[in-house]
Amino acid sequence: MFYKSPTNLFIPRSYNFTELEKDISILTQQYPFLKLNVIGRSVLDQPIYEIIFGNGERRIHWNGSFHANEWITTCVLMKSLEWLCQTVSNGELRFHKEVLTFFHLNTLSIVPMVNPDGVNLVVNGHIEDEGYMNHVNSLNAANDDFTGWKANIRGVDLNNQFPANWEIEKERKIPKTYAPRDYPGDAPLTEPEAIAMSNLAIERNFDLLLALHTQGKEFYWGYDHLEPEISAVYAEFFTKISPFKSVKTIDSHAGYKDWFIQEFRKPGFTLELGKGINPLPLSMFDLIYAETFPILFASLINLNVSKKG
C-alpha cells in the first residue's frame, strides 16, 4: 500500500497555481493512497483541488489561500502533506507508527488553494484573461503591484462570504463594491470558490476544521458562543505546543470558520501564521512551518476521546 520516498519534493518558492498542480501531480503519482477531487471551479474556471489523506472515521479539514496574498499558507500545507506521506510510507522514519495510526483513524481533507485566480494575480503580477485583467487593473487604481490583493479575481473577499452574520460585515465594510480586499459581495455565497467550500463542509460533515491565514501568530476558535466545549481543550493544547496566542473571539463575522461553528457546532480554528506584512516573505517559511506544523499534526489527535477517558 505504501511506498518509500527517497527525496524531498517540496521546496519553498513563489507558489502559483501552476506550481501547485505540479506538486499535486508528483505527490499523487508517488503516493497512490492519496485521493484527489475537484470540489469546484474558480471564476476563471481553475479547478479547486481537495487532497485526501487517510481512511479513518474521524474527518479533519485543512485549507489555505482563501486570501490571495496569503499564498504561503499553501506552501505550509503542501510541505505538511509531503511529510505525512513520507512518514507513513517509510517504517524507518521517526513517528511512522503514529502517522500510520492517524492514517487509519482520520480522513484528512486538504484544500491547499481556495483562491487560485487571486494567487496567480499576486504571484505572477497578471492573469491571462484580458477582460478580468482590465477589471483588476481598474480596481487596483491602475497600479501594477498586486501584492496587497486579498480578494478573488472578481474583487470579493472570500472569507467574508459565508452566512454567519454576513449582514453585519456588509454594513460596516468600507468597500461597497468590488475591491482588492474586504468587499463581502452582494450577498452570501455568490462566489464559486465560497460555494465550493460551503458544499464541501456540508457533504463531508467535518469533525474539526483548520483554516490557515496570515499574519499575527495567533488563532481564533470561538464564534457567537456556539463553539463546543472541546474547542477550548484543543485551544489550550495548541498553545502548549506552539507559539501561537489563543484568542477565543474577535469582532468579525462571515468567515469560513465562523459559519462552520455556527452550522455544525464543531471545533473550528482560524490560524494566523507568522508576523509581518502580507505577503509574508519566503525567507520566513522555515520558521512559519516549524511553528505551524505542530498544530496541524495535533489536529489529528482526537481529544474528545482523551477528554472522555
Side-chain angles (χ1 to χ4, degrees):
M1 179 181 181
F2 298 114
Y3 298 83
K4 292 187 179 182
S5 170
T7 60
N8 289 325
L9 159 71
F10 186 82
I11 300 172
R13 58 199 186 274
S14 292
Y15 209 74
N16 59 17
F17 182 70
T18 300
E19 295 302 307
L20 173 66
E21 286 201 311
K22 288 178 184 176
D23 281 356
I24 286 176
S25 177
I26 295 171
L27 278 177
T28 52
Q29 289 180 47
Q30 192 161 359
Y31 302 107
F33 53 82
L34 291 176
K35 299 175 184 176
L36 184 65
N37 299 317
V38 174
I39 64 167
R41 305 191 80 87
S42 69
V43 172
L44 294 180
D45 202 37
Q46 300 284 13
I48 301 171
Y49 290 113
E50 177 198 31
I51 310 166
I52 294 179
F53 173 92
N55 56 20
E57 183 177 346
R58 185 167 174 265
R59 299 169 297 276
I60 308 302
H61 175 71
W62 303 344
N63 66 64
S65 291
F66 253 96
H67 288 144
N69 64 351
E70 299 174 7
W71 54 264
I72 201 169
T73 58
T74 298
C75 302
V76 170
L77 290 177
M78 292 301 290
K79 186 169 181 62
S80 299
L81 175 61
E82 183 193 28
W83 185 90
L84 290 172
C85 290
Q86 288 180 336
T87 304
V88 81
S89 301
N90 189 338
E92 298 175 0
L93 292 178
R94 188 182 180 191
F95 299 118
H96 166 74
K97 290 182 179 179
E98 291 84 351
V99 175
L100 184 60
T101 298
F102 288 153
F103 184 94
H104 293 301
L105 290 177
N106 297 283
T107 295
L108 172 62
S109 158
I110 305 174
V111 176
M113 190 175 288
V114 176
N115 184 5
D117 302 341
V119 169
N120 276 349
L121 178 65
V122 171
V123 174
N124 300 339
H126 68 278
I127 52 172
E128 298 300 325
D129 187 286
E130 183 177 354
Y132 271 103
M133 192 66 225
N134 291 334
H135 175 67
V136 298
N137 274 325
S138 67
L139 297 185
N140 210 41
N143 183 352
D144 60 4
D145 180 2
F146 290 98
T147 55
W149 192 278
K150 292 177 66 176
N152 74 349
I153 209 67
R154 193 144 42 208
V156 175
D157 189 321
L158 296 176
N159 206 41
N160 279 318
Q161 263 276 285
F162 295 89
N165 287 309
W166 174 88
E167 296 80 6
I168 295 176
E169 295 300 302
K170 175 67 172 178
E171 176 65 26
R172 67 183 178 181
K173 289 296 186 184
I174 293 175
K176 300 304 179 186
T177 187
Y178 302 118
R181 56 177 294 158
D182 298 334
Y183 179 58
D186 297 330
L189 298 177
T190 59
E191 302 309 296
E193 301 92 344
I195 293 168
M197 294 300 291
S198 173
N199 289 342
L200 180 70
I202 293 169
E203 291 169 8
R204 296 283 194 273
N205 192 24
F206 298 123
D207 294 300
L208 184 146
L209 177 149
L210 299 180
L212 273 57
H213 291 257
T214 59
Q215 50 83 33
K217 206 177 290 191
E218 58 189 19
F219 61 82
Y220 314 126
W221 56 274
Y223 183 68
D224 205 23
H225 306 292
L226 299 174
E227 67 283 345
E229 291 183 11
I230 194 65
S231 296
V233 179
Y234 275 101
E236 182 180 4
F237 186 38
F238 291 166
T239 58
K240 289 180 178 178
I241 60 174
S242 79
F244 281 69
K245 177 184 177 183
S246 171
V247 179
K248 184 175 182 180
T249 57
I250 58 172
D251 185 19
S252 180
H253 304 277
Y256 191 54
K257 176 270 294 178
D258 307 329
W259 169 79
F260 177 78
I261 293 173
Q262 173 187 275
E263 291 300 307
F264 301 99
R265 305 295 202 272
K266 293 180 179 179
F269 298 82
T270 297
L271 275 59
E272 298 285 354
L273 281 53
K275 278 193 174 181
I277 299 174
N278 290 332
L280 296 178
L282 279 172
S283 60
M284 296 179 64
F285 176 80
D286 289 342
L287 175 62
I288 291 171
Y289 175 74
E291 293 173 342
T292 307
F293 182 73
I295 293 179
L296 297 174
F297 192 63
S299 73
L300 302 177
I301 302 171
N302 189 351
L303 295 183
N304 264 312
V305 173
S306 302
K307 189 183 179 203
K308 291 174 184 176

